[in-house]
Amino acid sequence: QQQLSQIAKFSTLHPRPDGQTYAYGTAGFRLLGSLLDSVVFRVGLLAALRSRKLDGETIGVMITASHNPPDDNGVKLIDPQGEMLEATWEAYATKFANAETDDELTKEYLAVAESLNINLDSPANVVFARDTRASGPALVAALKDGLEAAAAEYADYRILTTPQLHYIVKCINTAKTATPYGHPSEQGYYEKLATAFQIVTKGKPKPHVITVDAANGVGGPKLKELARHIGSDYLDVNVVKDEIDAVEKLNYQCGADFVKTQQKLPLGLQPAPYELYASLDGDADRIVFYYVDDAKKFHLLDGDKIASLAAMFIRDLIALSGVDLQVGVVQTAYANGSSSKYLSDILQVPITVTPTGVKHLHHASQLFDVGVYFEANGHGTVLFSNSAMKALESFEAQNPGQQDAVATLLSLAALINQTVGDALSDLLLVIAILSHKAWGPSEWNLTYTDLPNRLVRVVVRDRTAFKTEDAERKLVEPKGLQAEIDALVKKYKSGRSFVRASGTEDAVRVYAEAATRLEADELAVKVSDLLK
Ligand code: NG1
């Protein structure tokens, strides 16, 4: 009862803006930072309930708007194993955020507690962090009010990348198990990754210096710290776009999203030919790579290229090791057709296609012994199942080749963030693989050639009218539209196109690919015209 009156009291300090409706989507809540105060307060309440429901396991709350513009912000919850919030709880989050009055909010709170048999006197534990946005500190204050109102214990990890907080959540919740994930601190994260990188690349030539565009976000200082732990005997990283104090520059004409969607270099970058470059997004959970050739032509190495590289390397290591494990890849409809062909025809690894949103990819990749998942935009990771880890740890190698391969696989599992896509960990993974293969970016790029493609954002009257099936590759509604798209696609060599409603913006996305740039552009325009 005391908790409920505290919630009602604190809630008056965080009023919900009139006329605003909120939805917990694939990226949590995300909109203008100035509209999020009440939402973040209420997320604090929900995080406390979630922890109580899970016997006091620690829940994470990350305040970030990732690749979005500087004035935006967002908030998302992290489940105990470092995974995204369980889908059924997204609906509670949305309900809490939209409760009209303080009274309605306490009623919702009680209703969730009662319907899920949650004891409100049991312990609740929450950890949180934020990115570098100007609206962050005020939102943290709102979150603390929510946690205090709900009588939760909490720890403020201050400024972190999103994947660092996922790592810490998993570390805390596995600390007392037989397989602790690591030390639950930022320091522990650097040490774990640095040690794994040193082991994986031991005896290989030192990689060329890599230049990383940190989108003027949190990834900049964190990458420098990580590189310091790795040591310049192993790796030289040149971090650019690292002005975190110039808040208006966050993600502005730089960063992973800009480079991937514009298919061009970050503003002002003057790359040397055939050297490797990378761009992070604003909270460092995504990465894309690129280089220019002699003619200064830009070549993008996106999430599909990372997935293919990782799948190839791990598949070969598994074959060398003699351990009976299957590697599989999870993609979305946005994966370039050439990458899927390369994976299935050349590498002969199984592919699963899921709807957009990393939680879908993450779950699907848990079904493989080793599941590689990446969205084309560079968000992804590689998951080693518990049984794969046990098989590797207990394997008795018959020769040094097998022993080496098993040791490398085990170090890769430590190097790769097992909770969520992590730009810093993925960066090290790619560098380690390239150094094993003695490849530069152009050799990596040669594995397959992307089909030219175009992604178009179309604003429509009602995006909810667009319903899909078959992992978003076919429209079922509006009726008849898919047949019209199919008829257009048929006219193009290697043509493929699909339409789906965005989960993060009020728009519909049209994707098209075809044998030539001209045809891909034309197909995208023609399909977009069908929507008008
Ligand atoms: P939507 O807006 O649903 O297309 C976008 C990205 C996703 C994912 C989410 C979450 C594309 C085409 N879509 O989703 O891959 O990253 O944002 O941030 O890149």
Side-chain angles (χ1 to χ4, degrees), residues 26-27 30 67 286 334 356-357 375 377 455 500-505 509:
T26 34
R30 196 175 287 187
H67 63 275
R286 279 206 227 170
Y334 291 105
T356 304
E375 290 190 309
N377 64 22
L455 185 61
R500 59 174 276 279
S502 160
T504 61
E505 290 170 42
R509 297 198 201 283

Coordinates of all heavy atoms in Angstrom, one line a residue, residues 26-27 30 67 286 334 356-357 375 377 455 500-505 509, ligand 1:
T26 N 10.3 -2.2 -31.4 CA 11.5 -3.1 -31.5 C 12.7 -2.4 -30.8 O 13.6 -3.1 -30.4 CB 11.9 -3.3 -33.0 OG1 11.6 -2.1 -33.8 CG2 11.2 -4.5 -33.6
A27 N 12.6 -1.1 -30.7 CA 13.8 -0.4 -30.1 C 13.3 0.2 -28.7 O 13.9 1.2 -28.3 CB 14.3 0.7 -31.0
R30 N 11.0 5.3 -28.2 CA 12.0 6.2 -28.8 C 11.3 7.4 -29.4 O 10.4 7.2 -30.3 CB 12.8 5.4 -29.9 CG 14.0 6.2 -30.3 CD 14.9 5.4 -31.2 NE 15.5 4.3 -30.6 CZ 16.4 3.5 -31.2 NH1 16.7 3.8 -32.4 NH2 17.0 2.5 -30.6
H67 N 21.0 5.4 -33.2 CA 21.4 6.1 -34.4 C 20.6 7.3 -34.7 O 20.8 8.1 -35.7 CB 21.4 5.2 -35.6 CG 20.0 4.7 -36.0 ND1 19.5 3.6 -35.4 CD2 19.1 5.2 -36.8 CE1 18.2 3.4 -35.8 NE2 18.0 4.4 -36.7
R286 N 25.9 -1.2 -33.3 CA 26.0 -1.5 -34.8 C 27.3 -1.1 -35.3 O 27.9 -0.1 -34.9 CB 25.0 -0.7 -35.5 CG 23.6 -1.1 -35.5 CD 23.0 -0.6 -36.8 NE 21.8 0.1 -36.5 CZ 21.2 0.8 -37.5 NH1 21.8 1.0 -38.7 NH2 20.1 1.4 -37.3
Y334 N 16.0 -8.1 -45.6 CA 16.9 -7.1 -46.1 C 18.3 -7.6 -46.5 O 19.1 -6.8 -47.0 CB 17.0 -5.9 -45.1 CG 15.8 -5.1 -44.9 CD1 15.0 -5.3 -43.8 CD2 15.4 -4.3 -45.9 CE1 13.8 -4.6 -43.7 CE2 14.2 -3.5 -45.8 CZ 13.4 -3.7 -44.6 OH 12.2 -3.0 -44.5
T356 N 12.1 -8.4 -39.2 CA 13.1 -7.4 -38.7 C 13.0 -7.3 -37.2 O 11.9 -7.5 -36.6 CB 12.7 -6.1 -39.4 OG1 12.7 -6.3 -40.8 CG2 13.6 -5.0 -39.1
G357 N 14.1 -6.9 -36.6 CA 14.1 -6.7 -35.2 C 15.0 -7.8 -34.6 O 14.8 -9.0 -34.8
E375 N 21.7 -8.1 -38.9 CA 20.9 -7.4 -39.8 C 21.8 -6.7 -40.8 O 23.0 -6.5 -40.5 CB 20.1 -6.3 -39.1 CG 19.0 -6.9 -38.2 CD 18.1 -5.9 -37.6 OE1 18.5 -4.9 -37.1 OE2 16.8 -6.1 -37.8
N377 N 22.1 -3.9 -41.7 CA 22.6 -2.6 -41.2 C 23.7 -2.7 -40.2 O 24.2 -1.7 -39.7 CB 21.4 -1.8 -40.6 CG 20.8 -2.4 -39.3 OD1 21.5 -3.2 -38.7 ND2 19.6 -2.1 -39.0
L455 N 16.7 1.2 -50.8 CA 15.8 1.2 -49.7 C 15.1 2.5 -49.8 O 15.7 3.5 -49.7 CB 16.5 0.9 -48.4 CG 15.6 0.8 -47.2 CD1 14.7 -0.4 -47.2 CD2 16.5 0.6 -45.9
R500 N 7.2 -3.4 -46.4 CA 6.7 -3.7 -45.0 C 6.6 -2.4 -44.3 O 7.2 -1.4 -44.6 CB 7.6 -4.6 -44.2 CG 9.0 -4.1 -44.1 CD 9.8 -5.0 -43.2 NE 9.7 -4.7 -41.8 CZ 10.3 -3.7 -41.2 NH1 11.2 -2.9 -41.9 NH2 10.1 -3.5 -39.9
A501 N 5.7 -2.3 -43.2 CA 5.6 -1.1 -42.4 C 6.8 -1.1 -41.5 O 7.2 -2.1 -40.9 CB 4.3 -1.2 -41.6
S502 N 7.4 0.1 -41.3 CA 8.5 0.2 -40.4 C 7.9 0.0 -38.9 O 6.8 0.4 -38.6 CB 9.1 1.6 -40.5 OG 9.8 1.9 -39.3
G503 N 8.8 -0.6 -38.1 CA 8.4 -0.7 -36.7 C 8.9 0.5 -35.9 O 8.5 0.6 -34.7
T504 N 9.7 1.3 -36.4 CA 10.3 2.4 -35.6 C 9.9 3.8 -36.2 O 10.1 4.8 -35.5 CB 11.8 2.4 -35.6 OG1 12.3 2.5 -37.0 CG2 12.3 1.1 -35.0
E505 N 9.3 3.9 -37.4 CA 8.9 5.2 -37.9 C 7.5 5.0 -38.6 O 7.1 4.0 -38.9 CB 9.9 5.6 -39.0 CG 11.3 5.9 -38.5 CD 12.3 6.1 -39.7 OE1 11.9 6.7 -40.7 OE2 13.4 5.6 -39.6
R509 N 8.5 0.8 -45.7 CA 9.8 0.7 -46.4 C 9.7 -0.2 -47.7 O 9.0 -1.2 -47.6 CB 10.8 0.1 -45.5 CG 11.1 1.0 -44.3 CD 12.5 0.6 -43.7 NE 12.5 1.0 -42.3 CZ 12.8 2.3 -41.9 NH1 12.9 3.2 -42.8 NH2 12.8 2.6 -40.6
Ligands
NG1_1 P1 12.3 -0.6 -39.0 O1 12.0 0.9 -38.8 O2 11.2 -1.5 -38.5 O3 12.6 -0.9 -40.5 C1 14.8 -0.3 -38.2 C2 15.8 -1.2 -39.0 C3 16.0 -2.5 -38.3 C4 16.3 -2.4 -36.8 C5 15.3 -1.4 -36.2 C6 15.7 -1.1 -34.7 C7 16.2 -1.3 -41.4 C8 15.6 -1.6 -42.8 N1 15.4 -1.4 -40.4 O4 13.6 -1.0 -38.2 O5 16.9 -3.3 -39.0 O6 17.6 -2.0 -36.7 O7 15.3 -0.1 -36.9 O8 16.5 -0.1 -34.5 O9 17.4 -1.1 -41.3

